[in-house]
Amino acid sequence: MAQDHSTAFVRTQEIPPAPPPPGETGAVHWIKTNLISSVPNAIATAVGIYVVYWLLSGLIPWIVNGTWVTNNIRECREVLAGSGGGCFSVLTERYAQMLFGFEYPSEFYWRPSLAFALLFFAVPPALFPMYLPRWMLIATGLYPFVAFWLIWGGTILTPIGALAGVMVGYYAFTKLDKYGFAAALGGGVVGAWVVWQAFGMIAGGMPGFIALEAVESRNMGGFMLNMILGVVCVSLSIPLGIVLALGRQSSMPLIKIVCVVFIEFVRGVPLITLLFVANVVLAYFFPPDSNIDLILRVIIMITMFSAAYIAEVIRGGLAALPTGQYEAADSLGLNYAQAMRLIILPQALKISIPGIVNVAVGLFKDTTLVSVISMFDLVGMIRGPILSSTDWAGVYWETWAFACILFFVVCFGISKYSQWLEGQLRTDRH
Amino acid sequence: MKKTLFLGALAATTLAASGAFASTLDEVKARGTLNCGVTTGVPGFAEPDANGVWQGFDVAVCRAVAAAVLGDGNAVTFVPTTGKTRFTALASGEIDLLARNTTWTFSRDTDLKFEFVGVNYYDGQGFMVPKDLGVSSATELDGATVCIQTGTTTELNLADFFRSNNISYEPVPIETGSEAVQQYLAGACDVYTTDRSALAAQRANFETPDAHVLLPDVVSKEPLGPLVRHGDNEWGDIARWTLNALITAEELGVTSANLDAESGNPEVNRLLGREGDLGAMIGLDAEWAKRALAVGGNYGEIFASNIGSETPIGLARGLNAQWKDGGLLYSPPFR
């Protein structure tokens, strides 16, 4: 009877999972473990709750009791009568000035608004190439010319001429590519220049041909100016930064020296000095009537500045690649341009994304510095004409909160996009 | 190629330099608008309204000059300047006239090579304190913290005043006027000092203006006026006499309402171009002053509509009354 006591009971299936004992689950448990697990933790929780209460007790009445319909701060004070509400009337009366500046003709507000709306069709093909067909990149390519025409106005021949010049230049570049990079680049530049000159003469002769009413650069302002500077400078400085980063690694001493000097000089100078140079000092060198457009001067300076930073970020990406990658490209018989385009840059840029986005967000916020050279961007509008007006002097919180929201939305959007893109391009783990 | 570029740039610079000697009047007429430098915003003196139209006491000077020269008070391109960019804008020829409550000082007149064409507002530095502080004179401010804008003459005047009275103070440096007010109201300093006109204007916008007082002490002279570049005296004359025309018109009782009325006063007739040929002497037509007056009226009307006691700014005439009324406004005669 040896087997009898060995197999009295054999379990043939697992015990079903029992519910956790009471007190170890649910909201009560979560509060116990996370908020009041120990005395210091409980104190921290109490302080935190008090801070949140304190903030909300000010913020909620400020928003709920706020007034949106008065004509100036004195009326605001009468209406609010110490209820703690905000004087949001400044936004209803001046929001157009904050968005477009005070000199952009109000009957043309639809033009920059349309340009802004089109941005949402032009940018996705470049930012989400994996989801959208390639031909949609045409919209991206056309956008700068359409937006320029909408915002600045003038004859449609100007942007068409600029576009034709770019296309001729690109065509010449591809045709001459087999004779070497330098010849192709030279041919492209000459071709574009010839077309631009020709169209410049035609546009000068027919200023009224399908023309929108022209708006001068000095009349641009508000958040529109920040967006123009931000979008243009970011999109120009990334390619320029790539070129500078590659130039800095070049084995040709002249190119290397030029790039190093440029990067180190621009990085060694505060942006604000470059802007002062653009605004004040350059005016001494041009005859009074032949002023180069102020926005153009500012765009050049900001682009140079951020290109130098982006170049250094990309150089970090290039340095992170093992030498094996370069050698692999060489062993495949790829020339320099092919090796860079197909092997090196895709990896280096992927590494550099957080850095590039960091520079781009910083650059977008730095565009507010133009308020110092008396351009009326969003910050300039608030600091100058709005806070110094008889009607709205003293409405700080409402105006600055509005500016914060606008900038936060854009910068947070850029940041979220970059996180998503990093996830998309992650090839080393799944 | 590089050399040609350089020579071209050199030629352009020379052209620019010689351009300064060409007549500003001819340039303005050819351009069709007056480029006038103003502030980026000082309540009552220069501020764009909700429609983006510049309004204010300094702006009125620009409009008067434009009306005298071009016949249209709206033919002005306003160029907003900051305290840092205003002088280079004028020196480089970007603007023809700077009307930006700028203090007339020795060094600005001589060393910076500008010509002040007169004074449109006599100001002086004052102090504002909360009433609770119980102070009745600036000499009682020993040991006080003082909010002050950096880089202005007020900073230097303050140091002079406290040193000459042998009392101590602690400065709280601040960048702009609106930030200074915010700091003062938040209690970051006991005293806020700047030009008295600005103090009064800012106090008018406080939630409780009565809780703050302006001390009677005036520690500096701040004659604020429009200015032009050295080197074109004819243009300077036009700006100077347009300002004088506004002041004289008030003295003689000429307002925007009675410009067309007959007058037995020969000086009124000379001013309005009915007698003599004063306009031709400064290269303009006979009715230049009449047009300048038609824009915003005489000095008194401009003062009253922009910064006078009926406006939220609420400034009294004080030093800026006519000499007959005990003020400092005293225009040379039109003869």
Side-chain angles (χ1 to χ4, degrees):
Chain A
M1 305 309 257
Q3 69 268 46
D4 276 343
H5 64 266
S6 61
T7 56
F9 172 75
V10 175
R11 185 185 290 285
T12 54
Q13 63 210 101
E14 268 183 55
I15 307 175
E24 290 300 315
T25 181
V28 175
H29 172 73
W30 187 88
I31 288 173
K32 258 189 206 163
T33 51
N34 289 297
L35 297 182
I36 47 173
S37 60
S38 65
V39 173
N41 200 342
I43 293 171
T45 302
V47 171
I49 289 174
Y50 177 72
V51 168
V52 170
Y53 165 77
W54 181 73
L55 285 176
L56 289 183
S57 65
L59 190 64
I60 291 176
W62 187 63
I63 294 172
V64 173
N65 295 342
T67 170
W68 295 83
V69 289
T70 56
N71 289 317
N72 56 50
I73 187 170
R74 289 169 291 281
E75 288 182 21
C76 252
R77 291 207 175 108
E78 277 173 31
V79 171
L80 296 174
S83 67
C87 181
F88 299 108
S89 324
V90 66
L91 302 182
T92 32
E93 200 198 63
R94 299 286 179 116
Y95 78 95
Q97 289 193 353
M98 292 194 202
L99 293 182
F100 301 104
F102 68 92
E103 284 180 302
Y104 202 91
S106 53
E107 65 269 31
F108 299 141
Y109 282 160
W110 63 271
R111 281 161 42 181
S113 311
L114 178 62
F116 180 69
L118 288 179
L119 195 62
F120 291 99
F121 294 92
V123 170
L127 295 190
F128 306 101
M130 48 293 267
Y131 295 132
L132 294 167
R134 268 188 88 79
W135 60 263
M136 284 188 70
L137 275 173
I138 295 171
T140 314
L142 288 178
Y143 180 74
F145 306 99
V146 175
F148 171 83
W149 186 55
L150 281 174
I151 293 174
W152 270 268
T155 170
I156 201 170
L157 288 175
T158 313
I160 289 183
L163 178 62
V166 171
M167 284 165 68
V168 168
Y170 180 73
Y171 182 74
F173 180 85
T174 49
K175 282 291 152 191
L176 293 172
D177 203 18
K178 56 177 174 278
Y179 301 112
F181 181 75
L185 188 66
V189 169
V190 170
W193 188 78
V194 169
V195 175
W196 282 334
Q197 289 297 317
F199 265 94
M201 268 187 275
I202 298 172
M206 291 195 291
F209 183 75
I210 316 187
L212 291 170
E213 191 160 326
V215 180
E216 280 185 60
S217 280
R218 71 160 79 239
N219 296 344
M220 309 281 155
F223 197 59
M224 175 180 77
L225 183 60
N226 294 111
M227 287 297 289
I228 293 174
L229 292 176
V231 171
V232 173
C233 294
V234 167
S235 31
L236 288 181
S237 60
I238 289 176
L240 191 59
I242 294 175
V243 171
L244 283 171
L246 293 178
R248 194 171 183 162
Q249 293 218 319
S250 169
S251 53
M252 287 182 265
L254 183 66
I255 291 178
K256 186 177 172 128
I257 288 172
V258 168
C259 290
V260 169
V261 168
F262 178 88
I263 291 171
E264 293 303 331
F265 173 75
V266 172
R267 282 206 313 158
V269 178
L271 177 57
I272 197 97
T273 35
L274 291 178
L275 291 176
F276 269 118
V277 167
N279 178 38
V280 177
V281 184
L282 288 184
Y284 278 109
F285 292 98
F286 297 122
D289 294 329
S290 72
N291 263 348
I292 294 187
D293 195 288
L294 181 59
I295 289 193
L296 186 61
R297 283 185 267 164
V298 168
I299 285 178
I300 292 172
M301 288 298 180
I302 298 183
T303 304
M304 276 169 49
F305 188 78
S306 58
Y309 276 88
I310 288 182
E312 287 300 277
V313 169
I314 292 175
R315 190 167 69 98
L318 291 172
L321 287 191
T323 334
Q325 295 292 326
Y326 293 87
E327 291 166 354
D330 287 344
S331 69
L332 285 171
L334 301 179
N335 66 23
Y336 178 78
Q338 288 168 328
M340 287 299 147
R341 193 164 62 84
L342 298 173
I343 297 197
I344 305 300
L345 280 180
Q347 301 182 68
L349 289 180
K350 190 183 83 180
I351 300 173
S352 318
I353 286 172
I356 293 178
V357 169
N358 199 17
V359 173
V361 169
L363 163 71
F364 181 63
K365 291 185 291 183
D366 281 351
T367 58
T368 56
L369 283 176
V370 298
S371 64
V372 180
I373 54 167
S374 52
M375 287 173 85
F376 291 109
D377 74 314
L378 181 58
V379 170
M381 274 308 299
I382 293 175
R383 272 171 63 121
I386 293 176
L387 279 187
S388 311
S389 67
T390 317
D391 287 346
W392 299 114
V395 194
Y396 305 98
W397 288 96
E398 295 79 0
T399 46
W400 290 121
F402 183 65
C404 286
I405 290 171
L406 287 183
F407 274 99
F408 178 79
V409 166
V410 175
C411 293
F412 189 67
I414 299 175
S415 163
K416 274 292 168 205
Y417 168 74
S418 86
Q419 286 173 15
W420 174 85
L421 187 63
E422 275 175 59
Q424 286 290 309
L425 297 179
R426 181 174 296 163
T427 49
D428 48 352
R429 66 190 119 108
H430 291 279
Chain B
M1 188 60 199
K2 280 249 168 76
K3 201 165 216 172
T4 7
L5 260 182
F6 174 69
L7 287 178
L10 200 67
T13 324
T14 328
L15 264 178
S18 61
F21 296 105
S23 159
T24 312
L25 177 60
D26 291 340
E27 274 179 29
V28 171
K29 279 184 171 167
R31 198 191 301 131
T33 66
L34 173 76
N35 288 342
C36 196
V38 291
T39 67
T40 54
V42 169
F45 285 84
E47 48 170 305
D49 63 15
N51 301 318
V53 181
W54 283 93
Q55 310 283 357
F57 188 69
D58 283 337
V59 168
V61 175
C62 297
R63 292 196 190 278
V65 172
V69 174
L70 300 166
D72 180 3
N74 291 320
V76 189
T77 305
F78 289 100
V79 180
T81 56
T82 63
K84 299 178 183 82
T85 61
R86 55 181 166 180
F87 294 128
T88 39
L90 183 59
S92 69
E94 194 185 341
I95 55 179
D96 309 310
L97 174 73
L98 179 66
R100 190 199 179 279
N101 54 0
T102 302
T103 307
W104 186 351
T105 68
F106 181 91
S107 59
R108 285 173 179 173
D109 201 333
T110 57
D111 194 32
L112 292 180
K113 304 226 179 311
F114 295 130
E115 189 174 335
F116 284 82
V117 299
V119 176
N120 68 338
Y121 194 89
Y122 288 95
D123 215 333
Q125 186 176 344
F127 299 93
M128 177 159 55
V129 294
K131 208 168 231 171
D132 304 342
L133 207 60
V135 171
S136 61
S137 161
T139 50
E140 301 168 24
L141 289 173
D142 195 11
T145 50
V146 184
C147 280
I148 186 157
Q149 279 182 47
T150 53
T152 58
T153 49
T154 51
E155 199 175 10
L156 308 171
N157 296 333
L158 181 74
D160 286 355
F161 174 78
F162 275 78
R163 199 172 56 201
S164 61
N165 283 292
N166 209 12
I167 51 181
S168 68
Y169 71 104
E170 194 183 322
V172 180
I174 287 158
E175 180 72 18
T176 70
S178 58
E179 282 151 30
V181 170
Q182 205 179 10
Q183 294 291 321
Y184 169 72
L185 287 177
C189 47
D190 306 323
V191 191
Y192 173 37
T193 179
T194 186
D195 291 348
R196 285 173 66 87
S197 64
L199 288 179
Q202 285 159 344
R203 190 181 65 152
N205 259 352
F206 285 2
E207 207 154 353
T208 50
D210 296 336
H212 303 268
V213 286
L214 290 190
L215 298 179
D217 313 67
V218 181
V219 300
S220 73
K221 290 184 290 186
E222 307 281 348
L224 310 177
L227 54 154
V228 297
R229 273 184 300 282
H230 261 190
D232 188 348
N233 293 359
E234 285 74 21
W235 177 248
D237 287 343
I238 290 173
R240 175 177 301 111
W241 285 95
T242 306
L243 179 59
N244 283 338
L246 300 179
I247 296 171
T248 301
E250 190 193 12
E251 185 184 343
L252 300 175
V254 180
T255 67
S256 54
N258 66 6
L259 282 176
D260 291 318
E262 289 295 320
S263 169
N265 185 336
E267 189 166 8
V268 170
N269 289 333
R270 279 197 298 276
L271 176 70
L272 297 178
R274 297 187 199 123
E275 278 178 29
D277 55 351
L278 295 184
M281 292 182 198
I282 55 173
L284 299 174
D285 62 330
E287 296 208 316
W288 63 281
K290 188 176 171 183
R291 286 195 305 270
L293 288 164
V295 181
N298 63 34
Y299 182 91
E301 291 175 277
I302 294 172
F303 194 102
S305 64
N306 289 302
I307 52 178
S309 48
E310 298 298 309
T311 64
I313 309 279
L315 292 176
R317 287 295 289 266
L319 287 178
N320 297 291
Q322 291 286 337
W323 61 282
K324 287 175 176 170
D325 307 327
L328 291 177
L329 292 185
Y330 186 98
S331 159
F334 276 71
R335 180 171 289 283

Short mmCIF file of all heavy atoms in Angstrom, two decimals, chain A residues 304-342:
data_model
loop_
_atom_site.label_atom_id
_atom_site.label_comp_id
_atom_site.label_asym_id
_atom_site.label_seq_id
_atom_site.Cartn_x
_atom_site.Cartn_y
_atom_site.Cartn_z
N MET A 304 21.40 83.23 -39.55
CA MET A 304 22.82 82.99 -39.30
C MET A 304 23.04 82.48 -37.89
O MET A 304 23.78 81.52 -37.66
CB MET A 304 23.60 84.31 -39.46
CG MET A 304 23.98 84.67 -40.86
SD MET A 304 24.60 86.36 -40.97
CE MET A 304 25.78 86.40 -39.65
N PHE A 305 22.37 83.13 -36.95
CA PHE A 305 22.55 82.78 -35.53
C PHE A 305 22.14 81.35 -35.27
O PHE A 305 22.91 80.55 -34.72
CB PHE A 305 21.71 83.75 -34.69
CG PHE A 305 21.95 83.63 -33.23
CD1 PHE A 305 23.08 84.18 -32.65
CD2 PHE A 305 21.04 82.97 -32.42
CE1 PHE A 305 23.29 84.09 -31.30
CE2 PHE A 305 21.26 82.87 -31.06
CZ PHE A 305 22.39 83.42 -30.50
N SER A 306 20.92 80.99 -35.71
CA SER A 306 20.47 79.64 -35.37
C SER A 306 21.17 78.59 -36.22
O SER A 306 21.36 77.47 -35.77
CB SER A 306 18.95 79.54 -35.52
OG SER A 306 18.58 79.86 -36.82
N ALA A 307 21.60 78.96 -37.44
CA ALA A 307 22.33 77.99 -38.26
C ALA A 307 23.62 77.57 -37.57
O ALA A 307 24.01 76.40 -37.60
CB ALA A 307 22.62 78.58 -39.64
N ALA A 308 24.28 78.54 -36.92
CA ALA A 308 25.53 78.21 -36.23
C ALA A 308 25.27 77.21 -35.11
O ALA A 308 26.04 76.26 -34.91
CB ALA A 308 26.17 79.47 -35.67
N TYR A 309 24.16 77.41 -34.38
CA TYR A 309 23.84 76.48 -33.29
C TYR A 309 23.45 75.11 -33.84
O TYR A 309 23.88 74.08 -33.32
CB TYR A 309 22.70 77.05 -32.44
CG TYR A 309 23.20 78.00 -31.40
CD1 TYR A 309 23.35 79.34 -31.69
CD2 TYR A 309 23.55 77.55 -30.14
CE1 TYR A 309 23.83 80.22 -30.74
CE2 TYR A 309 24.02 78.42 -29.19
CZ TYR A 309 24.16 79.75 -29.49
OH TYR A 309 24.66 80.61 -28.56
N ILE A 310 22.61 75.11 -34.89
CA ILE A 310 22.19 73.83 -35.45
C ILE A 310 23.38 73.08 -36.02
O ILE A 310 23.48 71.86 -35.91
CB ILE A 310 21.09 74.07 -36.51
CG1 ILE A 310 19.80 74.47 -35.80
CG2 ILE A 310 20.87 72.83 -37.36
CD1 ILE A 310 18.64 74.69 -36.71
N ALA A 311 24.35 73.83 -36.59
CA ALA A 311 25.55 73.18 -37.12
C ALA A 311 26.27 72.42 -36.02
O ALA A 311 26.73 71.29 -36.22
CB ALA A 311 26.47 74.23 -37.74
N GLU A 312 26.35 73.02 -34.84
CA GLU A 312 27.04 72.35 -33.75
C GLU A 312 26.26 71.13 -33.26
O GLU A 312 26.84 70.11 -32.91
CB GLU A 312 27.27 73.33 -32.59
CG GLU A 312 28.35 74.33 -32.89
CD GLU A 312 29.69 73.68 -33.16
OE1 GLU A 312 30.41 73.35 -32.22
OE2 GLU A 312 30.01 73.49 -34.35
N VAL A 313 24.93 71.24 -33.25
CA VAL A 313 24.11 70.09 -32.85
C VAL A 313 24.33 68.94 -33.82
O VAL A 313 24.52 67.78 -33.41
CB VAL A 313 22.63 70.50 -32.81
CG1 VAL A 313 21.76 69.27 -32.65
CG2 VAL A 313 22.37 71.47 -31.68
N ILE A 314 24.33 69.26 -35.13
CA ILE A 314 24.48 68.20 -36.13
C ILE A 314 25.90 67.63 -36.09
O ILE A 314 26.12 66.44 -36.29
CB ILE A 314 24.13 68.75 -37.52
CG1 ILE A 314 22.64 69.05 -37.57
CG2 ILE A 314 24.50 67.74 -38.61
CD1 ILE A 314 22.19 69.71 -38.82
N ARG A 315 26.88 68.49 -35.78
CA ARG A 315 28.25 67.99 -35.66
C ARG A 315 28.31 66.95 -34.55
O ARG A 315 29.02 65.94 -34.65
CB ARG A 315 29.20 69.13 -35.35
CG ARG A 315 30.66 68.74 -35.45
CD ARG A 315 31.52 69.95 -35.45
NE ARG A 315 31.51 70.62 -34.15
CZ ARG A 315 32.46 70.45 -33.24
NH1 ARG A 315 33.47 69.64 -33.47
NH2 ARG A 315 32.40 71.09 -32.09
N GLY A 316 27.54 67.18 -33.48
CA GLY A 316 27.48 66.18 -32.42
C GLY A 316 26.94 64.86 -32.95
O GLY A 316 27.46 63.79 -32.63
N GLY A 317 25.90 64.94 -33.81
CA GLY A 317 25.33 63.73 -34.40
C GLY A 317 26.34 63.03 -35.29
O GLY A 317 26.47 61.79 -35.26
N LEU A 318 27.08 63.82 -36.07
CA LEU A 318 28.09 63.22 -36.96
C LEU A 318 29.18 62.54 -36.14
O LEU A 318 29.64 61.44 -36.48
CB LEU A 318 28.71 64.31 -37.85
CG LEU A 318 27.79 64.91 -38.92
CD1 LEU A 318 28.48 66.11 -39.58
CD2 LEU A 318 27.44 63.88 -39.97
N ALA A 319 29.57 63.20 -35.05
CA ALA A 319 30.65 62.65 -34.24
C ALA A 319 30.23 61.35 -33.56
O ALA A 319 31.06 60.51 -33.25
CB ALA A 319 31.09 63.68 -33.20
N ALA A 320 28.90 61.20 -33.33
CA ALA A 320 28.42 60.01 -32.63
C ALA A 320 28.44 58.77 -33.52
O ALA A 320 28.34 57.66 -33.02
CB ALA A 320 27.02 60.26 -32.11
N LEU A 321 28.56 58.97 -34.84
CA LEU A 321 28.56 57.79 -35.73
C LEU A 321 29.91 57.11 -35.68
O LEU A 321 30.94 57.77 -35.74
CB LEU A 321 28.30 58.24 -37.17
CG LEU A 321 26.87 58.68 -37.50
CD1 LEU A 321 26.74 58.82 -39.00
CD2 LEU A 321 25.87 57.68 -36.99
N PRO A 322 29.93 55.76 -35.58
CA PRO A 322 31.22 55.08 -35.60
C PRO A 322 31.90 55.23 -36.96
O PRO A 322 31.23 55.36 -37.99
CB PRO A 322 30.86 53.63 -35.32
CG PRO A 322 29.38 53.53 -35.40
CD PRO A 322 28.80 54.89 -35.40
N THR A 323 33.25 55.22 -36.94
CA THR A 323 34.01 55.38 -38.18
C THR A 323 33.62 54.32 -39.20
O THR A 323 33.71 54.53 -40.40
CB THR A 323 35.52 55.23 -37.90
OG1 THR A 323 35.75 55.59 -36.55
CG2 THR A 323 36.32 56.10 -38.83
N GLY A 324 33.18 53.17 -38.69
CA GLY A 324 32.78 52.07 -39.57
C GLY A 324 31.74 52.50 -40.58
O GLY A 324 31.73 52.00 -41.72
N GLN A 325 30.87 53.40 -40.20
CA GLN A 325 29.82 53.83 -41.13
C GLN A 325 30.43 54.55 -42.33
O GLN A 325 30.02 54.35 -43.47
CB GLN A 325 28.84 54.75 -40.40
CG GLN A 325 28.07 54.06 -39.30
CD GLN A 325 27.10 53.02 -39.84
OE1 GLN A 325 26.53 53.19 -40.91
NE2 GLN A 325 26.94 51.93 -39.12
N TYR A 326 31.43 55.43 -42.03
CA TYR A 326 32.09 56.14 -43.13
C TYR A 326 32.82 55.16 -44.02
O TYR A 326 32.77 55.23 -45.25
CB TYR A 326 33.08 57.17 -42.56
CG TYR A 326 32.42 58.31 -41.81
CD1 TYR A 326 32.11 58.20 -40.46
CD2 TYR A 326 32.12 59.50 -42.47
CE1 TYR A 326 31.51 59.23 -39.77
CE2 TYR A 326 31.51 60.55 -41.79
CZ TYR A 326 31.21 60.40 -40.44
OH TYR A 326 30.62 61.43 -39.77
N GLU A 327 33.52 54.21 -43.37
CA GLU A 327 34.30 53.23 -44.14
C GLU A 327 33.38 52.34 -44.97
O GLU A 327 33.70 52.00 -46.10
CB GLU A 327 35.15 52.40 -43.20
CG GLU A 327 36.27 53.22 -42.57
CD GLU A 327 36.92 52.51 -41.38
OE1 GLU A 327 36.42 51.43 -40.97
OE2 GLU A 327 37.91 53.05 -40.88
N ALA A 328 32.22 52.01 -44.39
CA ALA A 328 31.27 51.19 -45.14
C ALA A 328 30.83 51.91 -46.40
O ALA A 328 30.75 51.32 -47.49
CB ALA A 328 30.06 50.87 -44.26
N ALA A 329 30.56 53.23 -46.26
CA ALA A 329 30.15 54.00 -47.42
C ALA A 329 31.25 54.01 -48.47
O ALA A 329 31.00 53.82 -49.67
CB ALA A 329 29.81 55.43 -46.99
N ASP A 330 32.50 54.20 -48.02
CA ASP A 330 33.62 54.21 -48.97
C ASP A 330 33.74 52.87 -49.67
O ASP A 330 33.97 52.79 -50.88
CB ASP A 330 34.93 54.52 -48.22
CG ASP A 330 34.99 55.98 -47.81
OD1 ASP A 330 34.18 56.77 -48.37
OD2 ASP A 330 35.80 56.32 -46.94
N SER A 331 33.60 51.77 -48.89
CA SER A 331 33.81 50.45 -49.48
C SER A 331 32.74 50.11 -50.49
O SER A 331 32.96 49.29 -51.37
CB SER A 331 33.85 49.38 -48.38
OG SER A 331 32.55 49.27 -47.82
N LEU A 332 31.57 50.78 -50.39
CA LEU A 332 30.53 50.55 -51.39
C LEU A 332 30.78 51.33 -52.66
O LEU A 332 30.03 51.24 -53.62
CB LEU A 332 29.16 50.94 -50.82
CG LEU A 332 28.56 49.96 -49.81
CD1 LEU A 332 27.33 50.57 -49.18
CD2 LEU A 332 28.23 48.64 -50.49
N GLY A 333 31.81 52.20 -52.63
CA GLY A 333 32.12 52.98 -53.82
C GLY A 333 31.26 54.21 -53.97
O GLY A 333 31.16 54.77 -55.06
N LEU A 334 30.61 54.65 -52.90
CA LEU A 334 29.80 55.86 -52.99
C LEU A 334 30.70 57.09 -52.98
O LEU A 334 31.72 57.10 -52.29
CB LEU A 334 28.83 55.93 -51.81
CG LEU A 334 27.87 54.77 -51.65
CD1 LEU A 334 27.00 54.96 -50.42
CD2 LEU A 334 27.01 54.62 -52.89
N ASN A 335 30.29 58.12 -53.76
CA ASN A 335 31.07 59.36 -53.67
C ASN A 335 30.60 60.13 -52.44
O ASN A 335 29.69 59.72 -51.73
CB ASN A 335 30.97 60.18 -54.96
CG ASN A 335 29.56 60.70 -55.21
OD1 ASN A 335 28.76 60.82 -54.28
ND2 ASN A 335 29.26 60.99 -56.46
N TYR A 336 31.22 61.33 -52.22
CA TYR A 336 30.97 62.06 -50.97
C TYR A 336 29.49 62.39 -50.81
O TYR A 336 28.88 62.12 -49.77
CB TYR A 336 31.82 63.33 -50.97
CG TYR A 336 31.60 64.19 -49.75
CD1 TYR A 336 32.19 63.87 -48.54
CD2 TYR A 336 30.79 65.32 -49.81
CE1 TYR A 336 31.99 64.64 -47.42
CE2 TYR A 336 30.58 66.10 -48.69
CZ TYR A 336 31.19 65.75 -47.50
OH TYR A 336 30.97 66.53 -46.39
N ALA A 337 28.90 62.96 -51.90
CA ALA A 337 27.51 63.39 -51.79
C ALA A 337 26.60 62.20 -51.51
O ALA A 337 25.72 62.26 -50.65
CB ALA A 337 27.08 64.10 -53.07
N GLN A 338 26.83 61.09 -52.21
CA GLN A 338 25.99 59.90 -52.01
C GLN A 338 26.16 59.35 -50.60
O GLN A 338 25.17 58.98 -49.94
CB GLN A 338 26.36 58.84 -53.04
CG GLN A 338 25.89 59.19 -54.44
CD GLN A 338 26.50 58.27 -55.48
OE1 GLN A 338 27.64 57.80 -55.31
NE2 GLN A 338 25.77 58.02 -56.56
N ALA A 339 27.41 59.29 -50.17
CA ALA A 339 27.66 58.73 -48.83
C ALA A 339 26.95 59.55 -47.77
O ALA A 339 26.30 59.01 -46.87
CB ALA A 339 29.17 58.70 -48.55
N MET A 340 27.04 60.87 -47.90
CA MET A 340 26.39 61.73 -46.92
C MET A 340 24.88 61.56 -46.97
O MET A 340 24.20 61.43 -45.96
CB MET A 340 26.74 63.20 -47.21
CG MET A 340 28.15 63.56 -46.84
SD MET A 340 28.42 63.31 -45.08
CE MET A 340 30.13 62.82 -45.08
N ARG A 341 24.35 61.57 -48.20
CA ARG A 341 22.90 61.59 -48.36
C ARG A 341 22.28 60.26 -47.96
O ARG A 341 21.21 60.22 -47.36
CB ARG A 341 22.56 61.92 -49.82
CG ARG A 341 21.11 62.27 -50.06
CD ARG A 341 20.97 62.94 -51.41
NE ARG A 341 21.37 62.07 -52.50
CZ ARG A 341 20.56 61.16 -53.06
NH1 ARG A 341 19.34 61.03 -52.63
NH2 ARG A 341 20.99 60.40 -54.05
N LEU A 342 22.97 59.16 -48.29
CA LEU A 342 22.35 57.85 -48.10
C LEU A 342 22.71 57.18 -46.77
O LEU A 342 21.96 56.38 -46.25
CB LEU A 342 22.74 56.92 -49.25
CG LEU A 342 22.27 57.41 -50.63
CD1 LEU A 342 22.84 56.54 -51.72
CD2 LEU A 342 20.76 57.43 -50.69
#
